Amino acid sequence: EPEVTQTPSHQVTQMGQEVILRCVPISNHLYFYWYRQILGQKVEFLVSFYNNEISEKSEIFDDQFSVERPDGSNFTLKIRSTKLEDSAMYFCASSEETASNQPQHFGDGTRLSIL
Amino acid sequence: GNSVTQMEGPVTLSEEAFLTINCTYTATGYPSLFWYVQYPGEGLQLLLKATKADDKGSNKGFEATYRKETTSFHLEKGSVQVSDSAVYFCALSDTNFGNEKLTFGTGTRLTIIP
């Protein structure tokens, strides 16, 4: 069964450094998402992406964050200057259609640790 | 805004016990409702969903019914197994086009003991 893959599984970065989290969504999917889960807290929406542009973003997704689909297969999340509070598990998801019609499929996540 | 409130955990049950994890929601429109499961070290997997009132989602012996009158989507299973040990998340998506993000509850950690 096709799946969403995320790399790396664990990223350790010094505070203030840039980090890029990578995701390969399922190939025929059109909608892409990033979520994060701070340890012990709920999964929070960051951003959704459709037709090569952001369709919605949360208040967490400030100017330090950006997303890109650089080619036909990858979907990346960049954090420009990481802060300690960016430490979390980041999940990528994709869906063929909107969530009410087709479920979002999640990757296994990237654990980001900021030192 | 939309929100999901689910039963606080952790929940510990013996094998073959009956399971209920409560979930209630607040939404402005007519959301679709989901249960996702997260096994240790893995990502979120869709367990079941319901897209309109009175729909029942079911999978792997789990069931949940979309109750509009009580704004609830409680997860049930008649006889749990050790392999059901995981974290369970209730979630909703707003059906307004272009606003299909998932809003999650806090998750309920379930442990089944033999």
Side-chain angles (χ1 to χ4, degrees), chain A residues 8 11-13 17-21 77-82 86 110 112 114:
Chain A
Q11 173 81 44
V12 181
T13 301
Q17 296 295 307
E18 175 182 285
V19 67
I20 297 176
L21 308 183
L77 174 70
K78 184 186 334 186
I79 309 175
R80 253 179 282 280
S81 177
T82 50
D86 294 328
T110 293
L112 177 63
I114 307 301

Side-chain angles (χ1 to χ4, degrees), chain B residues 5-53:
Chain B
T5 303
Q6 67 179 100
M7 183 173 161
E8 290 285 330
V11 173
T12 303
L13 295 172
S14 297
E15 205 166 19
E16 298 182 5
F18 183 85
L19 168 72
T20 300
I21 300 178
N22 290 337
C23 172
T24 57
Y25 67 90
T26 303
T28 51
Y30 299 94
S32 293
L33 301 173
F34 306 83
W35 276 99
Y36 277 82
V37 58
Q38 185 178 31
Y39 297 104
E42 297 184 18
L44 297 159
Q45 300 176 25
L46 179 68
L47 182 59
L48 53 85
K49 73 171 191 175
T51 57
K52 61 182 188 296

Side-chain angles (χ1 to χ4, degrees), chain A residues 16-46:
Chain A
Q17 296 295 307
E18 175 182 285
V19 67
I20 297 176
L21 308 183
R22 302 181 191 281
C23 170
V24 179
I26 295 172
S27 61
N28 63 331
H29 284 187
L30 302 175
Y31 295 81
F32 313 111
Y33 309 84
W34 283 100
Y35 294 84
R36 80 169 185 194
Q37 184 182 28
I38 295 172
L39 188 63
Q41 297 185 25
K42 64 171 67 177
V43 177
E44 301 172 292
F45 168 78
L46 292 178

Side-chain angles (χ1 to χ4, degrees), chain A residues 29-86:
Chain A
H29 284 187
L30 302 175
Y31 295 81
F32 313 111
Y33 309 84
W34 283 100
Y35 294 84
R36 80 169 185 194
Q37 184 182 28
I38 295 172
L39 188 63
Q41 297 185 25
K42 64 171 67 177
V43 177
E44 301 172 292
F45 168 78
L46 292 178
V47 65
S48 58
F49 192 88
Y50 170 71
N51 201 26
N52 283 320
E53 60 183 24
I54 291 174
S55 48
E56 187 179 359
K57 59 184 181 180
S58 73
E59 56 204 26
I60 302 168
F61 194 89
D62 62 21
D63 292 344
Q64 293 300 312
F65 290 86
S66 62
V67 289
E68 197 177 30
R69 189 152 162 82
D71 51 43
S73 59
N74 290 285
F75 179 52
T76 61
L77 174 70
K78 184 186 334 186
I79 309 175
R80 253 179 282 280
S81 177
T82 50
K83 308 184 192 66
L84 292 176
E85 54 264 37
D86 294 328

